[in-house]
């Protein structure tokens, strides 16, 4: 059920390559992540220019009940954060694979994406968590 | 090792409503249905319905029951009229809080006392211990937790909704009951005990039903427009209303005086904890529970250090984003010198220092309604 056009981490983030030539990608959290978190009220995200390392902590997300770490699906550099998200963190609940994206990232190496799960693999992984 | 949690009579109703269930106090309870923000909003603007059957229902009777409760509780039973209820603490000899509770005087020698779910067995054991030590055969405790249901209907529309659903035995409407009064009535023929009490900062009722009627009463109140609400919303609501939660603001190592609950503690008289509590009321305490408000939406959580000029002066006991006030709020203990209203402190939010101002409790008070 997760979109086929992107890759997934076991920590429930996704990365979608926007343009292979320029290695720009969008990063977000999955439907499963937002469902587990419940109402999201705050994101603490890395600033533009910040360096990311694959599967290292990149920020935090707070729901009413809980705080969770966010992990970067890729190594690279933050280009921008979703400008809508600070005022409307609920976008990540309402549309986690679309308008609720978190970061636009300049990826260091597209080969890294091969280490992540496909949509089928991720959905099977999530199915095993239930 | 897997531990089996208890289930309330509404367990399958919760599942069919799509609730997310979590373990709480030894029970499997709904933490949310539609979402915490929507549920908080329903209680603040309309009516929310909570299953709180996990809390205890202890019926205490006998010729020594009033003297017994006068001894066990920080508030007096002897001065409570039948038909009324009172909030108070159950303390140990050191004045530490074993539980907080609302108790209802049902008759001259009969009471209903509602302990917290996770403390019900500890309260029962503490009561039985003192009956053996001091009251012998003059007190009987009947634990009807598993034979009854307990619901809370809360919000500005709760009273009108109860008037539509229920009638009191004396022919009056539920709205004729004043805050902290109780009455017996019927909801479409089902017997309902209702107290004008709650734990959300809103007007409303808490209802005790016979187990076999609980689901019917729940569904009837839902059909009349009450939104099912889970423990997640309940925790936000009680924090906004500045109400303590046992295990967070109060526990056997803290006293009601430190927690700012002295108005529920007798200044005179003999009862468990009276010595230390009355001394603290006369001489003061070293630390106080305060409300803290923080700009923004990132909330301190239980256990986070509270700092004054870099020095730890206390710890957070509860914290959350407050949807009603659209800011972050918390409660915590600080040294008395840091407890003045308006004092600016810092909270260490996972390594990030955040400014927090000591704020009057409760954070939220419901607007006065025209009848």
């Amino acid at each position: 059920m997760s979109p086929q056009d992107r890759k997934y981490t076991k920590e429930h983030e996704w990365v979608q390559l926007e343009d292979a030539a320029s290695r720009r990608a969008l990063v977000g959290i999955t439907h499963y992540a937002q469902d587990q978190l419940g109402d999201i009220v705050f994101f603490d995200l890395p600033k533009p220019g910040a360096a990311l390392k694959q599967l290292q902590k990149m920020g935090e997300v707070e729901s009413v009940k809980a705080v969770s770490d966010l992990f970067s699906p890729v190594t690279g550099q933050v280009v921008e954060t979703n400008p809508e998200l600070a005022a409307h963190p609920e976008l990540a609940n309402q549309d986690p694979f679309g308008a609720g994206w978190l970061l636009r990232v300049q990826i260091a190496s597209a080969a890294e994406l091969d280490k992540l799960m496909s949509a089928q693999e991720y959905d099977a992984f999530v199915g095993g968590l239930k | 090792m897997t531990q089996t949690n208890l289930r309330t009579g509404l367990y399958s109703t919760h599942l069919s409503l799509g609730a997310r269930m979590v373990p709480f106090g030894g029970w499997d309870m709904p933490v949310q249905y539609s979402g915490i923000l929507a549920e908080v909003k329903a209680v603040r603007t309309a009516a929310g319905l909570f299953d709180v059957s996990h809390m205890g229902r202890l019926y205490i009777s006998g010729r020594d029951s009033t003297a017994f409760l006068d001894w066990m509780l920080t508030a007096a039973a002897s001065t409570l009229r039948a038909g009324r209820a009172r909030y108070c603490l159950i303390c140990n000899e050191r004045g530490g809080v074993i539980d907080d509770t609302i108790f209802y005087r049902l008759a001259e020698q009969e009471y209903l006392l509602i302990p917290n779910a996770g403390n019900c067995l500890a309260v029962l054991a503490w009561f039985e211990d003192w009956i053996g030590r001091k009251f012998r055969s003059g007190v009987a405790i009947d634990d009807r937790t598993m034979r009854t249901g307990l619901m809370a209907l809360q919000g500005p529309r709760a009273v009108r909704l109860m008037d539509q659903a229920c009638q009191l035995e004396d022919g009056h409407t539920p709205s004729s009951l004043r805050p902290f009064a109780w009455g017996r009535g019927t909801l479409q023929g089902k017997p309902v005990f209702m107290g004008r009490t709650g734990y959300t900062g809103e007007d409303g009722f808490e209802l005790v039903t016979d187990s076999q009627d609980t689901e019917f009463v729940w569904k009837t109140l839902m059909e009349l427009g009450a939104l099912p609400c889970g423990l997640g919303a309940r925790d936000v609501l009680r924090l906004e209303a500045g109400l303590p939660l046992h295990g967070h603001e109060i526990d056997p190592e803290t006293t009601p005086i430190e927690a700012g609950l002295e108005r529920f503690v007798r200044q005179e008289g003999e009862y468990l904890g009276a010595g230390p509590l009355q001394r603290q009321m006369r001489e003061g305490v070293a630390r106080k529970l305060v409300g803290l408000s923080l700009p923004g939406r990132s909330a301190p959580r239980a256990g986070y250090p509270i700092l004054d000029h870099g020095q730890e002066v206390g710890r957070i006991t509860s914290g959350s984003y407050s949807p009603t006030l659209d800011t972050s709020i918390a409660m915590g203990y600080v040294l008395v010198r840091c407890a003045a209203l308006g004092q600016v402190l810092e909270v260490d939010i996972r390594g990030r220092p955040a400014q927090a101002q000591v704020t009057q409790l409760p954070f939220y008070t419901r607007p006065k309604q025209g009848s």
Side-chain angles (χ1 to χ4, degrees):
Chain A
M1 296 292 272
S2 298
Q4 303 281 339
D5 57 1
R6 58 196 84 190
K7 296 283 212 161
Y8 298 87
T9 71
K10 287 187 175 178
E11 307 287 349
H12 311 288
E13 292 88 10
W14 55 259
V15 54
Q16 178 186 27
L17 205 54
E18 291 182 293
D19 174 20
S22 67
R23 299 199 310 272
R24 290 282 172 98
L26 288 180
V27 167
I29 61 171
T30 65
H31 171 75
Y32 178 85
Q34 71 77 25
D35 185 56
Q36 289 294 307
L37 286 162
D39 290 321
I40 294 169
V41 296
F42 182 73
F43 281 101
D44 183 24
L45 295 173
K47 303 279 179 288
L52 302 175
K53 286 207 78 160
Q54 190 176 36
L55 304 181
Q56 303 273 304
K57 181 177 168 177
M58 64 170 186
E60 293 175 350
V61 51
E62 291 191 39
S63 65
V64 182
K65 281 306 284 179
V67 187
S68 296
D69 288 339
L70 296 166
F71 295 86
S72 178
V74 287
T75 302
Q77 198 173 31
V78 178
V79 177
E80 64 167 335
T81 57
N82 183 342
E84 302 293 317
L85 213 57
H88 298 287
E90 68 275 13
L91 284 173
N93 287 119
Q94 293 160 358
D95 191 7
F97 292 120
W101 62 275
L102 308 185
L103 304 174
R104 180 166 277 120
V105 174
Q106 179 79 43
I107 293 184
S109 151
E112 242 183 14
L113 297 176
D114 297 339
K115 297 180 192 168
L116 302 175
M117 287 183 278
S118 68
Q120 289 88 335
E121 289 166 333
Y122 176 72
D123 288 344
F125 169 71
V126 167
L129 299 177
K130 286 172 184 166
Chain B
M1 214 175 84
T2 44
Q3 194 193 335
T4 311
N5 283 313
L6 296 167
R7 294 173 174 183
T8 77
L10 291 167
Y11 180 82
S12 58
T13 309
H14 299 320
L15 292 187
S16 69
L17 289 168
R20 175 163 302 151
M21 307 299 286
V22 295
F24 182 85
W27 296 73
D28 275 329
M29 295 301 293
V31 66
Q32 65 167 63
Y33 306 81
S34 43
I36 293 174
L37 296 181
E39 293 166 27
V40 167
K41 191 174 175 191
V43 173
R44 291 282 180 246
T45 62
L49 183 61
F50 302 82
D51 177 15
V52 284
S53 304
H54 59 314
M55 299 177 79
R57 264 85 72 209
L58 303 181
Y59 289 78
I60 298 162
S61 60
R63 63 184 146 74
D64 291 336
S65 54
T66 301
F68 168 71
L69 289 176
D70 273 349
W71 177 249
M72 301 305 297
L73 307 178
T74 58
S78 48
T79 58
L80 183 66
R81 280 186 289 120
R84 306 273 312 156
R86 199 166 261 176
Y87 173 83
C88 69
L89 295 307
I90 302 167
C91 287
N92 58 34
E93 292 98 325
R94 292 171 285 116
V97 180
I98 292 173
D99 202 5
D100 64 339
T101 188
I102 290 177
F103 70 107
Y104 302 79
R105 191 164 195 171
L106 304 179
E108 186 58 25
Q109 295 183 348
E110 192 187 4
Y111 297 86
L112 164 61
L113 186 141
I114 312 282
N116 279 300
N119 293 332
C120 191
L121 291 178
V123 168
L124 260 178
W126 184 238
F127 282 5
E128 298 287 1
D129 182 20
W130 276 100
I131 289 171
R133 275 201 250 178
K134 202 169 151 83
F135 297 90
R136 303 286 165 180
S137 54
V139 184
I141 300 179
D142 183 14
D143 178 0
R144 294 186 208 160
T145 308
M146 304 308 287
R147 281 183 276 149
T148 56
L150 183 64
M151 280 165 268
L153 179 69
Q154 302 274 294
R157 278 202 220 137
V159 173
R160 213 182 321 153
L161 204 151
M162 277 294 284
D163 278 356
Q164 284 173 262
C166 290
Q167 232 184 347
L168 292 174
E169 275 174 352
D170 63 8
H172 287 98
T173 54
S175 58
S176 68
L177 294 169
R178 297 186 9 245
F180 282 86
W182 62 265
R184 287 198 176 88
T186 52
L187 182 148
Q188 296 185 28
K190 315 287 189 197
V192 174
F193 172 94
M194 62 192 90
R196 189 122 178 214
T197 51
Y199 188 54
T200 61
E202 296 298 330
D203 201 353
F205 290 91
E206 292 174 295
L207 319 173
V208 182
T209 50
D210 294 337
S211 279
Q212 71 270 14
D213 299 332
T214 307
E215 191 181 350
F216 179 83
V217 171
W218 173 274
K219 287 186 169 163
T220 304
L221 295 172
M222 266 187 71
E223 281 161 19
L224 286 169
L227 186 78
C229 297
L231 295 182
R234 190 170 162 84
D235 193 43
V236 172
L237 291 158
R238 70 90 193 167
L239 179 59
E240 289 182 339
L243 300 169
L245 173 62
H246 196 273
H248 287 255
E249 284 69 38
I250 45 178
D251 63 36
E253 307 308 319
T254 58
T255 74
I257 314 307
E258 293 172 314
L261 300 170
E262 51 270 26
R263 67 191 179 283
F264 305 108
V265 178
R266 275 173 283 169
Q267 291 188 347
E268 294 174 341
E270 287 289 305
Y271 54 92
L272 280 170
L277 293 177
Q278 290 168 3
R279 186 174 339 110
Q280 284 190 344
M281 281 193 275
R282 285 192 309 272
E283 297 172 8
V285 289
R287 58 179 192 149
K288 279 293 252 186
L289 186 72
V290 294
L292 295 168
S293 66
L294 300 88
R297 295 174 139 219
S298 180
R301 310 281 169 168
Y304 290 6
I306 304 170
L307 311 170
D308 178 34
H309 296 97
Q311 294 278 340
E312 182 169 331
V313 292
R315 293 269 169 157
I316 297 292
T317 50
S318 299
S320 175
Y321 168 66
S322 161
T324 309
L325 305 170
D326 192 25
T327 191
S328 286
I329 56 172
M331 292 196 277
Y333 282 97
V334 296
L335 298 176
V336 162
R337 67 172 168 82
C338 300
L341 291 182
Q343 167 109 30
V344 176
L345 301 168
E346 278 191 341
V347 180
D348 180 349
I349 300 186
R350 301 179 297 282
R352 260 187 293 129
Q355 272 207 351
Q357 189 165 41
V358 175
T359 306
Q360 180 83 51
L361 292 172
F363 299 103
Y364 166 86
T365 312
R366 70 173 179 265
K368 289 267 180 272
Q369 307 257 320
S371 92

